[in-house]
């Protein structure tokens, strides 16, 4: 288990800082998620591929199951969905009670901080001042001293904004130890990609900037029965950085991948079905182990703290 170094940051302080940055007033902070507060809950099924067991013996990924999932938009819940600078999220739950796994992914392959202390400093540097806006000199100074914290933003800025939750590629930023049916263990990264091409908004959609655009599109696609997402495993190579979630693996986009299975979204669920609990990344069926990095260890604790504040 990762031990947090001595410093100012704790999982609880991260939750409080993210709530404050998102603009949640103190009186309502206990009722909202610390991040990705705005989302929609859906249901579906998972169909494993015939190669899943080559990568992991986890029954979550090698057996068919029901799926509970949530598409979301990061940051301020009042954010316009078409804003190109904001992350999209996709969390899902596979497996039965005795082999459940929760996965938390986002629309960028890297996190914005390498350590817990760096994450807290990143958030504090962006806190709005008396004017209601952050001090950009402070932000630029922090970024200059911590250039790796720009990797996520640079990745997002280089791509057109997503035009559909169902047409977006999502990434797990952590390196997970996966043990195959033969007992062999290697690191993998998770990638969930639409069956078909990613979707970018049309000119009319981009100009409209409807606050509910992505959710309306999702509902329409589910009604037509065409929301399918492949769950992929990116395979490691010797020397890959498994402790630094701000860095991609070398030549990651050209990596060998194995399709573990396909998620088929079949309906919209009441948001209470997702809000009643959490997609806890620490919940992993045997065959997929916890990543070794500090951010994952903090995330495990922070999700539980955030849920406790919402109850």
């Amino acid at each position: 288990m990762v031990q947090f170094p001595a410093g100012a940051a704790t999982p609880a302080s991260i939750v409080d800082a993210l709530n404050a940055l998102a603009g949640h007033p103190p009186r309502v902070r206990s009722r909202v998620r610390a991040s990705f507060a705005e989302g929609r809950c859906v249901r579906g099924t998972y169909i494993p591929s015939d190669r899943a067991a080559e990568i992991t013996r986890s029954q979550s990924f090698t057996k068919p199951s029901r799926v509970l999932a949530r598409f979301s938009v990061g940051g301020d819940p009042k954010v316009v969905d078409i804003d190109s600078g904001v992350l999209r999220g996709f969390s899902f739950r596979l497996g039965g009670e005795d082999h459940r796994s929760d996965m938390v992914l986002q629309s960028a392959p890297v996190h914005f901080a390498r350590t817990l202390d760096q994450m807290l400093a990143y958030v504090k540097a962006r806190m709005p001042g008396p004017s209601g806006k952050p001090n950009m000199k402070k932000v630029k100074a922090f970024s200059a001293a911590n250039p790796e914290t720009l990797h996520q933003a640079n990745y997002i800025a280089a791509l057109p904004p997503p035009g559909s939750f169902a047409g977006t590629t999502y990434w797990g930023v952590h390196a997970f130890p996966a043990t195959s049916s033969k007992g062999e263990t290697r690191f993998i990264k998770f990638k969930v990609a639409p069956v078909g091409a990613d979707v970018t908004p049309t000119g009319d959609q981009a100009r409209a900037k409807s606050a509910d655009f992505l959710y309306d599109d999702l509902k329409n696609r589910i009604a037509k029965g065409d929301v399918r997402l492949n769950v992929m495993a990116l395979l490691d190579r010797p020397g890959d950085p498994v402790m630094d979630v701000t860095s991609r693996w070398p030549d990651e986009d050209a990596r060998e991948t194995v399709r573990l299975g396909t998620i088929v979204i079949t309906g919209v669920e009441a948001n209470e079905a997702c809000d009643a609990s959490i997609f806890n990344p620490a919940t992993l069926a045997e065959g997929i182990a916890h990543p070794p990095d500090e951010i994952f260890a903090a995330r495990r604790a922070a999700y539980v703290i955030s849920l406790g504040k919402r109850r």
Side-chain angles (χ1 to χ4, degrees):
M1 181 177 294
V2 173
Q3 297 296 318
F4 301 122
T10 64
S13 68
I14 294 292
V15 171
D16 289 341
L18 287 172
N19 267 317
L21 182 63
H24 304 314
R27 65 181 180 279
V28 301
R29 283 178 190 165
S30 61
R31 301 199 301 271
V32 296
R33 296 171 187 263
S35 61
F36 293 94
E38 185 67 19
R40 293 295 184 276
C41 193
V42 296
R43 66 178 180 274
T45 58
Y46 172 76
I47 306 166
S49 79
D50 57 5
R51 295 193 63 192
E54 296 176 19
I55 306 302
T56 176
R57 62 191 180 205
S58 169
Q59 294 184 57
S60 293
F61 293 93
T62 58
K63 288 189 173 184
S65 69
R66 294 180 179 179
V67 173
L68 183 70
R70 184 176 185 266
F71 292 95
S72 57
V73 178
D76 188 339
K78 300 185 293 297
V79 73
V80 174
D81 286 0
I82 210 67
D83 186 339
S84 60
V86 177
L87 280 174
R88 277 66 178 168
F90 180 55
S91 302
F92 59 93
R93 177 172 300 154
L94 304 178
E97 288 302 317
D98 58 341
H99 54 271
R100 195 182 101 186
S101 292
D102 290 357
M103 304 303 300
V104 179
L105 297 92
Q106 61 183 38
S107 58
V110 291
H111 191 55
F112 62 82
R114 186 179 64 251
T115 67
L116 206 57
D117 284 342
Q118 188 179 57
M119 187 173 178
L120 184 60
Y122 175 101
V123 174
K124 286 185 173 180
R126 286 158 175 77
M127 288 292 183
S131 66
K133 297 180 179 180
N135 183 326
M136 292 313 298
K137 288 185 178 180
K138 196 174 186 179
V139 171
K140 289 179 180 179
F142 177 84
S143 297
N146 301 269
E148 65 273 19
T149 63
L150 295 176
H151 293 172
Q152 185 188 93
N154 290 340
Y155 178 89
I156 298 171
L159 297 175
S164 169
F165 278 131
T168 296
T169 295
Y170 302 93
W171 308 81
V173 300
H174 307 280
F176 291 79
T179 302
S180 73
S181 59
K182 295 181 179 180
E184 300 167 343
T185 300
R186 69 185 304 171
F187 283 104
I188 66 170
K189 285 187 177 182
F190 285 96
K191 175 182 177 182
V192 172
V195 175
D198 284 13
V199 177
T200 55
T202 65
D204 289 344
Q205 291 167 341
R207 284 190 291 273
K209 292 190 176 181
S210 164
D212 290 320
F213 163 69
L214 289 175
Y215 301 112
D216 291 341
D217 174 83
L218 178 64
K219 183 178 179 180
N220 291 336
R221 288 177 182 272
I222 291 173
K224 295 176 182 177
D226 64 351
V227 179
R228 291 174 175 258
L229 300 149
N230 286 330
V231 181
M232 314 293 293
L234 279 67
L235 308 185
D236 71 338
R237 296 174 185 161
D240 282 338
V242 298
M243 299 292 288
D244 184 359
V245 291
T246 66
S247 295
R248 303 190 72 186
W249 287 347
D251 199 26
E252 192 172 282
D253 288 326
R255 282 294 173 105
E256 179 185 1
T257 61
V258 172
R259 184 176 69 87
L260 300 177
T262 300
I263 292 173
V264 182
I265 303 299
T266 57
V268 177
E269 277 285 348
N271 281 335
E272 289 76 13
C274 290
D275 292 341
S277 60
I278 55 173
F279 294 93
N280 188 339
T283 303
L284 295 168
E286 195 275 331
I288 301 289
H290 291 170
D293 65 90
E294 182 179 323
I295 293 298
F296 184 85
R299 177 171 274 176
R300 290 184 303 170
Y303 277 51
V304 175
I305 292 168
S306 182
L307 177 64
K309 289 177 177 288
R310 301 203 318 262
R311 287 179 169 172

